Amino acid sequence: MTRASLARLAPLFAPLLVTPLLIATLLPAPSAASEACTAVEVHNVRPAQGLLMIAVYAEEAEFRRMPVLSISQRAGDKDTMHFAVCGLAGREVAFSLFQDVNNNRKLDSNLVGMPSEPWGASGTSPGFSAPTWESSKVRLQGTPLTIALSR
């Protein structure tokens, strides 16, 4: 992973620090009968360390700029967290996540620019570069979505 590609990760999470269009809190995963909501499961959470910061983008033009949904929740005592995203059924969206283990509200990086806190995105892994709209977009169809944070 090059320093330039890792530097592109910082803007991905910057919208979490500004007022989003819609603010929500983590909710228990909805039942299968709830068609308007999608259950999301996040793996590799460091238990009891800081906040899980989540941004959901609904348009390519807004990716990394202004999420339609921004969520932050204190990490629980397990390495998996669950929440529901409601009102976006049938739409293509992209999720960007990181765990702010030191509670400074930013994704920290090491001396060479690599993230030093767990991070993840929906869709397919972009390899050793920052996630893009194309690599991160998923269609919310009511089926559960699983996202793994980096270790």
Side-chain angles (χ1 to χ4, degrees):
M1 187 177 293
T2 67
R3 184 174 200 166
S5 65
L6 289 172
R8 290 183 296 204
L9 286 174
L12 182 65
F13 299 106
L16 291 172
L17 304 177
V18 298
T19 305
L21 297 175
L22 174 66
I23 299 174
T25 58
L26 294 183
L27 304 170
S31 67
S34 178
E35 293 179 358
C37 296
T38 298
V40 181
E41 183 174 273
V42 181
H43 292 243
N44 301 332
V45 176
R46 293 183 188 173
Q49 293 186 36
L51 297 170
L52 182 63
M53 309 289 280
I54 303 157
V56 183
Y57 302 92
E59 296 180 24
E60 183 174 12
E62 299 299 326
F63 186 63
R64 296 177 156 177
R65 291 178 182 83
M66 184 58 69
V68 295
L69 178 65
S70 180
I71 305 167
S72 65
Q73 179 67 34
R74 184 151 307 281
D77 59 354
K78 297 185 177 166
D79 66 354
T80 301
M81 292 180 73
H82 300 86
F83 63 96
V85 174
C86 302
L88 296 173
R91 293 183 66 180
E92 280 189 334
V93 299
F95 289 78
S96 297
L97 303 86
F98 76 96
Q99 186 174 358
D100 183 15
V101 297
N102 61 0
N103 293 310
N104 67 353
R105 297 212 167 257
K106 67 178 186 174
L107 177 64
D108 294 321
S109 59
N110 62 21
L111 293 175
V112 295
M114 294 182 66
S116 58
E117 294 178 304
W119 66 276
S122 55
T124 58
S125 172
F128 289 105
S129 65
T132 64
W133 170 260
E134 286 300 316
S135 70
S136 302
K137 69 180 177 180
V138 294
R139 183 166 300 279
L140 297 183
Q141 298 176 329
T143 56
L145 177 65
T146 301
I147 301 172
L149 296 178
S150 62
R151 290 192 182 257

